[in-house]
Amino acid sequence: MIQRIQTIFLILFVISLVTSFFFPVWQKIEISDENGNVEAMVTGYISTDIFEKDNETILYDQFYISAIVILSCLLAVFSIFSYKNRLTQIKLGTINSFITSLLVMFVLYETFYNDVYKEINDKISFLISFYLIFLAIFFNFLSNRFIRKDEILVRESERIR
């Protein structure tokens, strides 16, 4: 049922999470003091972290973070197609909110507490995918709100009969 506003918000939720795969989430660069040359640079994506140091590039797989994103997208698509049962949609939206919160926690854990990247002493720049994740959380919140609003409206109309 595409004409419902919550379906559009769920589609925007899926689009924002899928596009977060293609952009970097965070970046950390260590610059040497004398020449301004880059000593070490880490760029974190949803699926991998790219660590460049001394002209050597190492890729670290983040399969669990990408699995969380895929699971969250699948739950949202399933919620779109279960439009006849609003209570199921509310439950799926709540589970999806929890899963995307876990996604943010795992990304922040990888950014701040990974032992490989602790030696780089520089500030962290959060890039576009990090904000796309929060945009997805906002879309999920809006869809849950409108699903609840529909459920309240249906229950009130049943009470009038």
Side-chain angles (χ1 to χ4, degrees):
M1 218 182 207
I2 296 294
Q3 70 267 21
R4 292 172 50 196
I5 189 73
Q6 56 266 29
T7 305
I8 294 171
F9 284 135
L10 285 171
I11 290 171
L12 289 173
F13 171 82
V14 171
I15 289 172
S16 63
L17 279 184
V18 167
T19 55
S20 70
F21 270 107
F22 302 110
F23 298 107
V25 179
W26 59 274
Q27 191 171 38
K28 201 174 187 183
I29 301 173
E30 184 175 348
I31 299 174
S32 64
D33 293 332
E34 58 260 357
N35 297 336
N37 295 331
V38 175
E39 284 186 27
M41 181 172 74
V42 181
T43 305
Y45 290 86
I46 291 291
S47 58
T48 59
D49 288 342
I50 301 171
F51 183 57
E52 298 173 13
K53 187 173 184 178
D54 300 329
N55 295 327
E56 182 180 341
T57 302
I58 303 170
L59 293 175
Y60 293 104
D61 243 356
Q62 306 297 334
F63 66 91
Y64 56 91
I65 294 177
S66 49
I68 290 173
V69 171
I70 292 169
L71 176 68
S72 186
C73 288
L74 289 175
L75 277 175
V77 169
F78 182 70
S79 177
I80 288 171
F81 290 114
S82 64
Y83 60 89
K84 290 184 180 180
N85 193 349
R86 285 173 301 280
L87 292 177
T88 303
Q89 274 188 320
I90 291 171
K91 291 175 189 174
L92 288 174
T94 305
I95 291 170
N96 225 352
S97 295
F98 178 71
I99 289 174
T100 50
S101 299
L102 279 177
L103 172 67
V104 170
M105 288 191 309
F106 279 131
V107 166
L108 289 176
Y109 178 78
E110 279 297 316
T111 305
F112 290 112
Y113 297 111
N114 194 337
D115 293 333
V116 178
Y117 316 131
K118 275 187 181 179
E119 65 190 38
I120 297 177
N121 297 322
D122 194 18
K123 292 184 180 179
I124 296 168
S125 301
F126 290 106
L127 303 173
I128 190 165
S129 283
F130 188 72
Y131 301 111
L132 282 173
I133 294 169
F134 281 104
L135 185 65
I137 290 172
F138 179 68
F139 285 142
N140 191 33
F141 167 75
L142 287 177
S143 68
N144 287 342
R145 182 175 177 165
F146 282 106
I147 292 168
R148 284 190 190 108
K149 203 175 196 181
D150 276 357
E151 181 63 25
I152 289 171
L153 183 69
V154 167
R155 286 187 187 225
E156 285 179 359
S157 66
E158 287 176 0
R159 226 180 289 150
I160 292 173
R161 289 185 204 173

Coordinates of all heavy atoms in Angstrom, one line a residue, residues 28 37-39 41 157 160:
K28 N 39.8 8.9 10.1 CA 40.8 9.4 11.1 C 42.1 9.5 10.4 O 42.6 8.5 9.8 CB 40.9 8.3 12.2 CG 41.4 8.8 13.5 CD 41.2 7.6 14.6 CE 41.6 8.1 15.9 NZ 41.5 7.1 16.9
N37 N 52.8 15.6 5.9 CA 52.5 14.3 5.2 C 51.6 13.5 6.1 O 51.7 13.5 7.3 CB 53.8 13.6 4.9 CG 54.7 14.3 3.9 OD1 54.1 15.1 3.1 ND2 56.0 14.1 4.0
V38 N 50.8 12.7 5.4 CA 49.9 11.8 6.1 C 50.7 10.5 6.5 O 51.3 9.8 5.7 CB 48.7 11.4 5.2 CG1 47.9 10.3 5.9 CG2 47.9 12.6 4.9
E39 N 50.8 10.3 7.9 CA 51.4 9.1 8.4 C 50.5 7.8 8.3 O 50.9 6.8 7.9 CB 51.9 9.3 9.8 CG 53.1 10.1 9.9 CD 53.7 10.2 11.3 OE1 53.4 9.2 12.1 OE2 54.3 11.2 11.6
M41 N 46.1 6.7 8.0 CA 44.7 7.1 7.7 C 43.8 5.9 7.7 O 44.2 4.9 7.2 CB 44.7 7.8 6.3 CG 43.3 8.3 6.0 SD 43.2 9.2 4.5 CE 43.3 8.0 3.2
S157 N -12.8 4.2 15.4 CA -13.9 4.0 14.5 C -14.7 2.7 14.8 O -15.9 2.7 14.6 CB -13.5 4.0 13.1 OG -12.6 2.9 12.8
I160 N -17.1 3.5 17.7 CA -18.2 4.2 17.4 C -19.3 3.3 16.8 O -20.5 3.5 17.1 CB -17.9 5.3 16.3 CG1 -17.0 6.3 17.0 CG2 -19.1 5.9 15.8 CD1 -16.4 7.4 16.0

